[in-house]
Amino acid sequence: MPSTVKYHINKTQGEEHSLPCIKCTGKTAHKVLASADVRGDEGDSNHWFEWAIDNQVVQCLGCKTVSFRKASSSSEDYHQISQDGGWERSVNETLYPSRIEGIKGLGDETHYLPSNVQGIYDETLMALSNQAPVLAGIGLRALLETVCKEKNAIGHDLLKKIDSLVSTGILTPASAAILHKIRTLGNAAAHDMKPHSDKQLGLAMDIVEHLLKDVYILPKQVESEFEK
């Protein structure tokens, strides 16, 4: 089967794409700063198709953060874009570092966390960003376990440990009730291999991040800014 492959430098330079940003909330416009693009075709007299792979260094036009986009497509893969018969070539898009729209993470603030808490947090965020919902659910539960251990919570299971943080003033009863929902989510992931939706996991991550800010980050920031 005859085929041809051509390599191009900066063929797609200057293009703009709407992509989730690592730092900004939601999708933002990204510009292609440089690219290494590949075009190919193959087939015979009965069947012929074309394909393309674009390897792009992209920059958010808002915060200026630089990341990487790989986009692949072929003449075999189209999707309908309108009811009147309009079609568009489908693009398989991969972003590095991996990310999910709307989830920014704690960024540089993670250096305020104890090393064991920071390690579990980073792994959980990685699982969430790489669309590994079961591992992300287990990671969220492990984060709660690690915080409880670091704060010397008392109890033979995670339920009792979370409640004990209320008696010591680290958590409010309302906060503990919310964390119990995440504990249940983590149990389902760990014991039943149950994947939860991106929306559920994103909300759970937001809650855990608020916990980490309240327990570790904000106290250290206040201590640093308002020295005696």
Side-chain angles (χ1 to χ4, degrees):
M1 180 180 292
S3 64
T4 60
V5 179
K6 295 182 179 180
Y7 300 87
H8 307 273
I9 300 299
N10 293 332
K11 182 179 180 66
T12 56
Q13 185 182 43
E15 288 185 354
E16 291 189 10
H17 301 277
S18 179
L19 306 174
C21 180
I22 300 171
K23 293 186 177 180
C24 301
T25 301
K27 287 186 175 181
T28 62
H30 284 64
K31 186 175 183 178
V32 179
L33 300 181
S35 67
D37 308 300
V38 189
R39 299 290 183 269
D41 55 64
E42 57 184 87
D44 52 34
S45 59
N46 295 318
H47 181 68
W48 191 268
F49 70 96
E50 301 172 343
W51 54 268
I53 300 175
D54 298 331
N55 302 287
Q56 303 167 331
V57 177
V58 296
Q59 183 178 42
C60 172
L61 296 182
C63 69
K64 305 303 181 184
T65 299
V66 175
S67 57
F68 185 83
R69 174 181 184 260
K70 180 179 181 179
S72 58
S73 62
S74 79
S75 58
E76 299 286 289
D77 194 6
Y78 281 80
H79 63 274
Q80 190 169 1
I81 58 175
S82 62
Q83 294 182 349
D84 60 0
W87 292 80
E88 184 177 69
R89 183 178 288 195
S90 299
V91 177
N92 182 23
E93 185 177 74
T94 306
L95 303 175
Y96 304 92
S98 301
R99 67 204 76 161
I100 289 181
E101 182 181 352
I103 296 179
K104 293 168 57 178
L106 294 173
D108 294 339
E109 292 183 340
T110 57
H111 78 272
Y112 290 109
L113 302 176
S115 59
N116 56 341
V117 176
Q118 181 180 353
I120 297 297
Y121 171 81
D122 289 341
E123 290 188 23
T124 303
L125 184 62
M126 186 181 300
L128 186 57
S129 298
N130 283 281
Q131 299 182 351
V134 174
L135 294 179
I138 294 172
L140 286 164
R141 190 187 190 284
L143 261 175
L144 296 183
E145 287 272 13
T146 307
V147 171
C148 287
K149 182 177 181 180
E150 202 276 330
K151 289 298 179 180
N152 299 314
I154 300 172
H156 65 276
D157 57 26
L158 186 55
L159 186 152
K160 297 296 183 183
K161 290 176 181 178
I162 291 174
D163 288 340
S164 76
L165 294 182
V166 176
S167 62
T168 57
I170 295 175
L171 296 178
T172 65
S175 297
I178 294 174
L179 294 182
H180 281 310
K181 294 183 182 297
I182 299 176
R183 175 183 59 82
T184 302
L185 178 152
N187 286 344
H191 302 304
D192 301 326
M193 300 300 113
K194 179 181 178 181
H196 291 79
S197 68
D198 287 347
K199 186 175 182 179
Q200 290 174 318
L201 292 170
L203 180 58
M205 191 61 153
D206 285 342
I207 293 168
V208 171
E209 287 180 344
H210 279 296
L211 168 68
L212 299 179
K213 287 183 178 180
D214 289 343
V215 174
Y216 298 108
I217 296 172
L218 289 176
K220 289 188 177 181
Q221 288 178 334
V222 169
E223 182 182 353
S224 175
E225 294 296 327
F226 299 95
E227 297 179 358
K228 294 183 179 179

PDB file of all heavy atoms in Angstrom, residues 177-204:
ATOM      1  N   ALA A 177     -19.473  17.005  58.239  1.00  0.00           N
ATOM      2  CA  ALA A 177     -20.569  16.349  57.522  1.00  0.00           C
ATOM      3  C   ALA A 177     -20.270  16.277  56.029  1.00  0.00           C
ATOM      4  O   ALA A 177     -20.556  15.267  55.367  1.00  0.00           O
ATOM      5  CB  ALA A 177     -21.876  17.103  57.765  1.00  0.00           C
ATOM      6  N   ILE A 178     -19.677  17.342  55.497  1.00  0.00           N
ATOM      7  CA  ILE A 178     -19.313  17.350  54.074  1.00  0.00           C
ATOM      8  C   ILE A 178     -18.193  16.353  53.800  1.00  0.00           C
ATOM      9  O   ILE A 178     -18.209  15.629  52.809  1.00  0.00           O
ATOM     10  CB  ILE A 178     -18.896  18.766  53.644  1.00  0.00           C
ATOM     11  CG1 ILE A 178     -20.099  19.712  53.725  1.00  0.00           C
ATOM     12  CG2 ILE A 178     -18.343  18.746  52.217  1.00  0.00           C
ATOM     13  CD1 ILE A 178     -19.751  21.152  53.465  1.00  0.00           C
ATOM     14  N   LEU A 179     -17.198  16.307  54.691  1.00  0.00           N
ATOM     15  CA  LEU A 179     -16.081  15.384  54.498  1.00  0.00           C
ATOM     16  C   LEU A 179     -16.528  13.926  54.568  1.00  0.00           C
ATOM     17  O   LEU A 179     -15.924  13.060  53.931  1.00  0.00           O
ATOM     18  CB  LEU A 179     -14.988  15.658  55.533  1.00  0.00           C
ATOM     19  CG  LEU A 179     -14.275  17.008  55.401  1.00  0.00           C
ATOM     20  CD1 LEU A 179     -13.183  17.139  56.460  1.00  0.00           C
ATOM     21  CD2 LEU A 179     -13.675  17.187  54.007  1.00  0.00           C
ATOM     22  N   HIS A 180     -17.569  13.671  55.328  1.00  0.00           N
ATOM     23  CA  HIS A 180     -18.096  12.297  55.379  1.00  0.00           C
ATOM     24  C   HIS A 180     -18.632  11.871  54.006  1.00  0.00           C
ATOM     25  O   HIS A 180     -18.561  10.685  53.651  1.00  0.00           O
ATOM     26  CB  HIS A 180     -19.188  12.175  56.438  1.00  0.00           C
ATOM     27  CG  HIS A 180     -18.649  12.066  57.838  1.00  0.00           C
ATOM     28  ND1 HIS A 180     -17.669  11.166  58.177  1.00  0.00           N
ATOM     29  CD2 HIS A 180     -18.960  12.744  58.977  1.00  0.00           C
ATOM     30  CE1 HIS A 180     -17.387  11.281  59.474  1.00  0.00           C
ATOM     31  NE2 HIS A 180     -18.146  12.240  59.970  1.00  0.00           N
ATOM     32  N   LYS A 181     -19.161  12.798  53.232  1.00  0.00           N
ATOM     33  CA  LYS A 181     -19.624  12.463  51.888  1.00  0.00           C
ATOM     34  C   LYS A 181     -18.444  12.056  51.009  1.00  0.00           C
ATOM     35  O   LYS A 181     -18.539  11.128  50.203  1.00  0.00           O
ATOM     36  CB  LYS A 181     -20.364  13.651  51.275  1.00  0.00           C
ATOM     37  CG  LYS A 181     -21.669  14.006  51.992  1.00  0.00           C
ATOM     38  CD  LYS A 181     -22.395  15.129  51.294  1.00  0.00           C
ATOM     39  CE  LYS A 181     -23.667  15.516  52.024  1.00  0.00           C
ATOM     40  NZ  LYS A 181     -24.660  14.402  52.078  1.00  0.00           N
ATOM     41  N   ILE A 182     -17.316  12.766  51.175  1.00  0.00           N
ATOM     42  CA  ILE A 182     -16.119  12.413  50.413  1.00  0.00           C
ATOM     43  C   ILE A 182     -15.565  11.076  50.900  1.00  0.00           C
ATOM     44  O   ILE A 182     -15.063  10.271  50.101  1.00  0.00           O
ATOM     45  CB  ILE A 182     -15.070  13.528  50.541  1.00  0.00           C
ATOM     46  CG1 ILE A 182     -15.634  14.826  49.964  1.00  0.00           C
ATOM     47  CG2 ILE A 182     -13.769  13.146  49.823  1.00  0.00           C
ATOM     48  CD1 ILE A 182     -14.727  16.016  50.121  1.00  0.00           C
ATOM     49  N   ARG A 183     -15.649  10.827  52.194  1.00  0.00           N
ATOM     50  CA  ARG A 183     -15.215   9.539  52.740  1.00  0.00           C
ATOM     51  C   ARG A 183     -16.018   8.409  52.091  1.00  0.00           C
ATOM     52  O   ARG A 183     -15.459   7.374  51.692  1.00  0.00           O
ATOM     53  CB  ARG A 183     -15.405   9.532  54.254  1.00  0.00           C
ATOM     54  CG  ARG A 183     -15.103   8.178  54.916  1.00  0.00           C
ATOM     55  CD  ARG A 183     -15.393   8.242  56.420  1.00  0.00           C
ATOM     56  NE  ARG A 183     -16.777   8.599  56.706  1.00  0.00           N
ATOM     57  CZ  ARG A 183     -17.798   7.735  56.686  1.00  0.00           C
ATOM     58  NH1 ARG A 183     -17.586   6.448  56.358  1.00  0.00           N
ATOM     59  NH2 ARG A 183     -19.024   8.135  56.958  1.00  0.00           N
ATOM     60  N   THR A 184     -17.337   8.610  51.968  1.00  0.00           N
ATOM     61  CA  THR A 184     -18.197   7.603  51.347  1.00  0.00           C
ATOM     62  C   THR A 184     -17.843   7.414  49.877  1.00  0.00           C
ATOM     63  O   THR A 184     -17.804   6.282  49.373  1.00  0.00           O
ATOM     64  CB  THR A 184     -19.678   8.017  51.477  1.00  0.00           C
ATOM     65  OG1 THR A 184     -20.000   8.188  52.863  1.00  0.00           O
ATOM     66  CG2 THR A 184     -20.591   6.950  50.885  1.00  0.00           C
ATOM     67  N   LEU A 185     -17.561   8.526  49.185  1.00  0.00           N
ATOM     68  CA  LEU A 185     -17.140   8.460  47.786  1.00  0.00           C
ATOM     69  C   LEU A 185     -15.863   7.643  47.659  1.00  0.00           C
ATOM     70  O   LEU A 185     -15.731   6.786  46.785  1.00  0.00           O
ATOM     71  CB  LEU A 185     -16.953   9.879  47.246  1.00  0.00           C
ATOM     72  CG  LEU A 185     -16.463  10.094  45.812  1.00  0.00           C
ATOM     73  CD1 LEU A 185     -16.993  11.427  45.269  1.00  0.00           C
ATOM     74  CD2 LEU A 185     -14.935  10.111  45.733  1.00  0.00           C
ATOM     75  N   GLY A 186     -14.903   7.910  48.544  1.00  0.00           N
ATOM     76  CA  GLY A 186     -13.642   7.179  48.512  1.00  0.00           C
ATOM     77  C   GLY A 186     -13.808   5.708  48.823  1.00  0.00           C
ATOM     78  O   GLY A 186     -13.129   4.851  48.236  1.00  0.00           O
ATOM     79  N   ASN A 187     -14.726   5.394  49.742  1.00  0.00           N
ATOM     80  CA  ASN A 187     -14.982   3.987  50.066  1.00  0.00           C
ATOM     81  C   ASN A 187     -15.526   3.238  48.852  1.00  0.00           C
ATOM     82  O   ASN A 187     -15.143   2.093  48.575  1.00  0.00           O
ATOM     83  CB  ASN A 187     -15.987   3.892  51.217  1.00  0.00           C
ATOM     84  CG  ASN A 187     -15.374   4.261  52.555  1.00  0.00           C
ATOM     85  OD1 ASN A 187     -14.147   4.302  52.691  1.00  0.00           O
ATOM     86  ND2 ASN A 187     -16.201   4.563  53.535  1.00  0.00           N
ATOM     87  N   ALA A 188     -16.444   3.902  48.121  1.00  0.00           N
ATOM     88  CA  ALA A 188     -17.024   3.262  46.938  1.00  0.00           C
ATOM     89  C   ALA A 188     -15.957   3.017  45.877  1.00  0.00           C
ATOM     90  O   ALA A 188     -15.968   1.992  45.190  1.00  0.00           O
ATOM     91  CB  ALA A 188     -18.144   4.132  46.377  1.00  0.00           C
ATOM     92  N   ALA A 189     -15.019   3.951  45.757  1.00  0.00           N
ATOM     93  CA  ALA A 189     -13.946   3.785  44.779  1.00  0.00           C
ATOM     94  C   ALA A 189     -12.992   2.672  45.191  1.00  0.00           C
ATOM     95  O   ALA A 189     -12.562   1.857  44.361  1.00  0.00           O
ATOM     96  CB  ALA A 189     -13.178   5.093  44.622  1.00  0.00           C
ATOM     97  N   ALA A 190     -12.657   2.626  46.483  1.00  0.00           N
ATOM     98  CA  ALA A 190     -11.669   1.665  46.971  1.00  0.00           C
ATOM     99  C   ALA A 190     -12.210   0.246  47.041  1.00  0.00           C
ATOM    100  O   ALA A 190     -11.520  -0.712  46.682  1.00  0.00           O
ATOM    101  CB  ALA A 190     -11.159   2.103  48.336  1.00  0.00           C
ATOM    102  N   HIS A 191     -13.452   0.105  47.495  1.00  0.00           N
ATOM    103  CA  HIS A 191     -13.981  -1.242  47.756  1.00  0.00           C
ATOM    104  C   HIS A 191     -14.820  -1.788  46.608  1.00  0.00           C
ATOM    105  O   HIS A 191     -14.872  -3.007  46.394  1.00  0.00           O
ATOM    106  CB  HIS A 191     -14.804  -1.233  49.039  1.00  0.00           C
ATOM    107  CG  HIS A 191     -14.044  -0.778  50.249  1.00  0.00           C
ATOM    108  ND1 HIS A 191     -12.869  -1.379  50.651  1.00  0.00           N
ATOM    109  CD2 HIS A 191     -14.264   0.236  51.123  1.00  0.00           C
ATOM    110  CE1 HIS A 191     -12.397  -0.767  51.741  1.00  0.00           C
ATOM    111  NE2 HIS A 191     -13.226   0.225  52.036  1.00  0.00           N
ATOM    112  N   ASP A 192     -15.501  -0.903  45.871  1.00  0.00           N
ATOM    113  CA  ASP A 192     -16.378  -1.353  44.793  1.00  0.00           C
ATOM    114  C   ASP A 192     -15.855  -0.974  43.414  1.00  0.00           C
ATOM    115  O   ASP A 192     -16.516  -1.236  42.405  1.00  0.00           O
ATOM    116  CB  ASP A 192     -17.784  -0.743  44.972  1.00  0.00           C
ATOM    117  CG  ASP A 192     -18.408  -1.137  46.305  1.00  0.00           C
ATOM    118  OD1 ASP A 192     -18.153  -2.273  46.750  1.00  0.00           O
ATOM    119  OD2 ASP A 192     -19.139  -0.318  46.888  1.00  0.00           O
ATOM    120  N   MET A 193     -14.667  -0.343  43.373  1.00  0.00           N
ATOM    121  CA  MET A 193     -14.096   0.127  42.110  1.00  0.00           C
ATOM    122  C   MET A 193     -15.076   1.000  41.341  1.00  0.00           C
ATOM    123  O   MET A 193     -15.176   0.958  40.116  1.00  0.00           O
ATOM    124  CB  MET A 193     -13.674  -1.057  41.226  1.00  0.00           C
ATOM    125  CG  MET A 193     -12.638  -1.974  41.848  1.00  0.00           C
ATOM    126  SD  MET A 193     -11.081  -1.106  42.235  1.00  0.00           S
ATOM    127  CE  MET A 193     -11.095  -1.180  44.024  1.00  0.00           C
ATOM    128  N   LYS A 194     -15.840   1.817  42.062  1.00  0.00           N
ATOM    129  CA  LYS A 194     -16.868   2.645  41.446  1.00  0.00           C
ATOM    130  C   LYS A 194     -16.282   3.966  40.960  1.00  0.00           C
ATOM    131  O   LYS A 194     -15.749   4.736  41.747  1.00  0.00           O
ATOM    132  CB  LYS A 194     -17.993   2.932  42.438  1.00  0.00           C
ATOM    133  CG  LYS A 194     -19.105   3.808  41.871  1.00  0.00           C
ATOM    134  CD  LYS A 194     -20.186   4.080  42.894  1.00  0.00           C
ATOM    135  CE  LYS A 194     -21.259   4.994  42.314  1.00  0.00           C
ATOM    136  NZ  LYS A 194     -22.322   5.282  43.311  1.00  0.00           N
ATOM    137  N   PRO A 195     -16.373   4.242  39.658  1.00  0.00           N
ATOM    138  CA  PRO A 195     -15.905   5.540  39.157  1.00  0.00           C
ATOM    139  C   PRO A 195     -16.983   6.598  39.332  1.00  0.00           C
ATOM    140  O   PRO A 195     -18.161   6.349  39.068  1.00  0.00           O
ATOM    141  CB  PRO A 195     -15.653   5.273  37.665  1.00  0.00           C
ATOM    142  CG  PRO A 195     -16.636   4.196  37.323  1.00  0.00           C
ATOM    143  CD  PRO A 195     -16.810   3.354  38.565  1.00  0.00           C
ATOM    144  N   HIS A 196     -16.599   7.776  39.797  1.00  0.00           N
ATOM    145  CA  HIS A 196     -17.535   8.880  39.921  1.00  0.00           C
ATOM    146  C   HIS A 196     -17.322   9.852  38.764  1.00  0.00           C
ATOM    147  O   HIS A 196     -16.285   9.829  38.096  1.00  0.00           O
ATOM    148  CB  HIS A 196     -17.358   9.583  41.267  1.00  0.00           C
ATOM    149  CG  HIS A 196     -17.794   8.757  42.439  1.00  0.00           C
ATOM    150  ND1 HIS A 196     -17.001   7.752  42.967  1.00  0.00           N
ATOM    151  CD2 HIS A 196     -18.929   8.766  43.171  1.00  0.00           C
ATOM    152  CE1 HIS A 196     -17.644   7.185  43.980  1.00  0.00           C
ATOM    153  NE2 HIS A 196     -18.815   7.783  44.119  1.00  0.00           N
ATOM    154  N   SER A 197     -18.294  10.712  38.540  1.00  0.00           N
ATOM    155  CA  SER A 197     -18.238  11.627  37.409  1.00  0.00           C
ATOM    156  C   SER A 197     -17.194  12.714  37.650  1.00  0.00           C
ATOM    157  O   SER A 197     -16.808  12.995  38.787  1.00  0.00           O
ATOM    158  CB  SER A 197     -19.606  12.276  37.192  1.00  0.00           C
ATOM    159  OG  SER A 197     -19.919  13.164  38.268  1.00  0.00           O
ATOM    160  N   ASP A 198     -16.755  13.341  36.558  1.00  0.00           N
ATOM    161  CA  ASP A 198     -15.804  14.449  36.676  1.00  0.00           C
ATOM    162  C   ASP A 198     -16.372  15.560  37.558  1.00  0.00           C
ATOM    163  O   ASP A 198     -15.645  16.188  38.336  1.00  0.00           O
ATOM    164  CB  ASP A 198     -15.467  15.018  35.297  1.00  0.00           C
ATOM    165  CG  ASP A 198     -14.553  14.101  34.481  1.00  0.00           C
ATOM    166  OD1 ASP A 198     -13.991  13.160  35.073  1.00  0.00           O
ATOM    167  OD2 ASP A 198     -14.412  14.329  33.270  1.00  0.00           O
ATOM    168  N   LYS A 199     -17.671  15.803  37.427  1.00  0.00           N
ATOM    169  CA  LYS A 199     -18.305  16.866  38.222  1.00  0.00           C
ATOM    170  C   LYS A 199     -18.258  16.538  39.705  1.00  0.00           C
ATOM    171  O   LYS A 199     -17.948  17.393  40.540  1.00  0.00           O
ATOM    172  CB  LYS A 199     -19.752  17.073  37.764  1.00  0.00           C
ATOM    173  CG  LYS A 199     -20.439  18.248  38.441  1.00  0.00           C
ATOM    174  CD  LYS A 199     -21.826  18.481  37.852  1.00  0.00           C
ATOM    175  CE  LYS A 199     -22.492  19.685  38.511  1.00  0.00           C
ATOM    176  NZ  LYS A 199     -23.853  19.938  37.935  1.00  0.00           N
ATOM    177  N   GLN A 200     -18.573  15.283  40.063  1.00  0.00           N
ATOM    178  CA  GLN A 200     -18.534  14.864  41.466  1.00  0.00           C
ATOM    179  C   GLN A 200     -17.117  14.947  42.017  1.00  0.00           C
ATOM    180  O   GLN A 200     -16.893  15.467  43.118  1.00  0.00           O
ATOM    181  CB  GLN A 200     -19.074  13.440  41.601  1.00  0.00           C
ATOM    182  CG  GLN A 200     -20.556  13.305  41.366  1.00  0.00           C
ATOM    183  CD  GLN A 200     -21.003  11.850  41.368  1.00  0.00           C
ATOM    184  OE1 GLN A 200     -20.335  10.976  40.802  1.00  0.00           O
ATOM    185  NE2 GLN A 200     -22.127  11.573  41.992  1.00  0.00           N
ATOM    186  N   LEU A 201     -16.157  14.430  41.247  1.00  0.00           N
ATOM    187  CA  LEU A 201     -14.773  14.433  41.702  1.00  0.00           C
ATOM    188  C   LEU A 201     -14.223  15.853  41.782  1.00  0.00           C
ATOM    189  O   LEU A 201     -13.470  16.191  42.692  1.00  0.00           O
ATOM    190  CB  LEU A 201     -13.910  13.579  40.775  1.00  0.00           C
ATOM    191  CG  LEU A 201     -14.190  12.076  40.807  1.00  0.00           C
ATOM    192  CD1 LEU A 201     -13.452  11.375  39.679  1.00  0.00           C
ATOM    193  CD2 LEU A 201     -13.780  11.479  42.145  1.00  0.00           C
ATOM    194  N   GLY A 202     -14.604  16.705  40.825  1.00  0.00           N
ATOM    195  CA  GLY A 202     -14.160  18.094  40.855  1.00  0.00           C
ATOM    196  C   GLY A 202     -14.679  18.823  42.078  1.00  0.00           C
ATOM    197  O   GLY A 202     -13.942  19.576  42.732  1.00  0.00           O
ATOM    198  N   LEU A 203     -15.947  18.601  42.412  1.00  0.00           N
ATOM    199  CA  LEU A 203     -16.523  19.220  43.603  1.00  0.00           C
ATOM    200  C   LEU A 203     -15.860  18.690  44.866  1.00  0.00           C
ATOM    201  O   LEU A 203     -15.559  19.451  45.794  1.00  0.00           O
ATOM    202  CB  LEU A 203     -18.036  18.953  43.649  1.00  0.00           C
ATOM    203  CG  LEU A 203     -18.799  19.533  44.853  1.00  0.00           C
ATOM    204  CD1 LEU A 203     -18.616  21.050  44.926  1.00  0.00           C
ATOM    205  CD2 LEU A 203     -20.279  19.176  44.758  1.00  0.00           C
ATOM    206  N   ALA A 204     -15.624  17.374  44.910  1.00  0.00           N
ATOM    207  CA  ALA A 204     -14.954  16.778  46.065  1.00  0.00           C
ATOM    208  C   ALA A 204     -13.546  17.343  46.232  1.00  0.00           C
ATOM    209  O   ALA A 204     -13.104  17.626  47.351  1.00  0.00           O
ATOM    210  CB  ALA A 204     -14.901  15.262  45.917  1.00  0.00           C
TER     211      ALA A 204
END
